[in-house]
Amino acid sequence: MKKIVWSILLLLSPWAMAETAEQQWPTQDGPVTVVWQNPDEFRDVEASSGIQERYENHVFATLGKQFQKRLSGLLKDGEQLTITVTNLDLAGDVRPSFGASASDIRIVKSVYPPMIEFQWALLDQNKQLLDSGEVKIKDLNFENASSSLRYQNDALHYELSMIERWSKRDLPDVLASRTE
């Protein structure tokens, strides 16, 4: 009888429910929508300390807001831009601290550059596709980039400056033509 009661309690516990609930990551809405597609398959969004889910939530919200900030001013009234992030690799690599502390550590070296892969789609006010494409941003010179100084107090400063540089230099023609 005790086994049945414990089994029922386990099934109804918040931990069991959390395992079955689908994870919802932040998606920024407005003229620029950022969607995080299959984040469990991303190359590296590993927390070095703390709760993994909270860390991912912070990373996705911070980078999503950067996309919005950089791209929303380029759109005409009624247009919608959707960024679908398909892969993310944060600068550095998380390594175990082997008992030196309770947390792992993120080693940032030039051999671990940041990278973001995404698809974008621009819709007009009638929801007709104007243009779309796939982008892979990888910053091999991330440690020496002067633009990262702007974000130096942010844990994601390499990724934020990488998105900023892409939005200034490498925008697709359909978006870049609006800044002239």
Side-chain angles (χ1 to χ4, degrees):
M1 182 67 169
K2 286 183 180 181
K3 287 183 181 179
I4 293 173
V5 171
W6 281 109
S7 297
I8 292 171
L9 286 174
L10 179 62
L11 288 174
L12 297 177
S13 73
W15 298 285
M17 294 176 138
E19 290 296 320
T20 59
E22 185 176 323
Q23 180 64 49
Q24 296 296 316
W25 299 109
T27 300
Q28 288 75 20
D29 292 317
V32 177
T33 301
V34 181
V35 178
W36 302 90
Q37 183 178 343
N38 301 323
D40 292 337
E41 297 175 13
F42 287 176
R43 187 174 204 163
D44 173 24
V45 190
E46 188 175 343
S48 58
S49 64
I51 299 171
Q52 180 66 29
E53 182 179 320
R54 285 186 189 167
Y55 182 71
E56 289 174 352
N57 197 23
H58 167 72
V59 168
F60 298 154
T62 302
L63 298 181
K65 287 176 186 174
Q66 178 75 335
F67 274 116
Q68 280 191 310
K69 177 180 170 184
R70 293 287 159 200
L71 301 174
S72 61
L74 302 176
L75 304 179
K76 296 177 182 174
D77 287 340
E79 289 183 336
Q80 182 76 28
L81 179 65
T82 301
I83 304 283
T84 304
V85 180
T86 56
N87 199 358
L88 177 62
D89 188 357
L90 299 177
D93 190 40
V94 175
R95 299 293 174 94
S97 63
F98 299 110
S101 71
S103 304
D104 294 337
I105 54 175
R106 181 170 285 276
I107 305 293
V108 178
K109 291 183 176 181
S110 60
V111 295
Y112 307 119
M115 181 272 305
I116 302 174
E117 290 182 58
F118 59 92
Q119 300 165 347
W120 61 273
L122 178 63
L123 304 177
D124 67 12
Q125 58 198 8
N126 299 321
K127 306 297 182 215
Q128 298 296 316
L129 183 66
L130 293 174
D131 206 350
S132 64
E134 292 185 26
V135 176
K136 180 177 181 178
I137 309 170
K138 190 170 190 173
D139 189 357
L140 298 176
N141 193 31
F142 71 101
E143 290 181 303
N144 300 320
S146 61
S147 62
S148 65
L149 294 176
R150 168 182 281 184
Y151 304 105
Q152 68 185 358
N153 293 327
D154 195 303
L156 300 169
H157 62 276
Y158 297 119
E159 293 78 11
L160 292 170
S161 63
M162 187 170 63
I163 292 170
E164 179 180 334
R165 274 193 312 281
W166 174 79
S167 69
K168 286 182 176 178
R169 294 190 311 206
D170 301 320
L171 274 177
D173 291 340
V174 70
L175 293 171
S177 65
R178 294 153 190 255
T179 61
E180 298 171 344

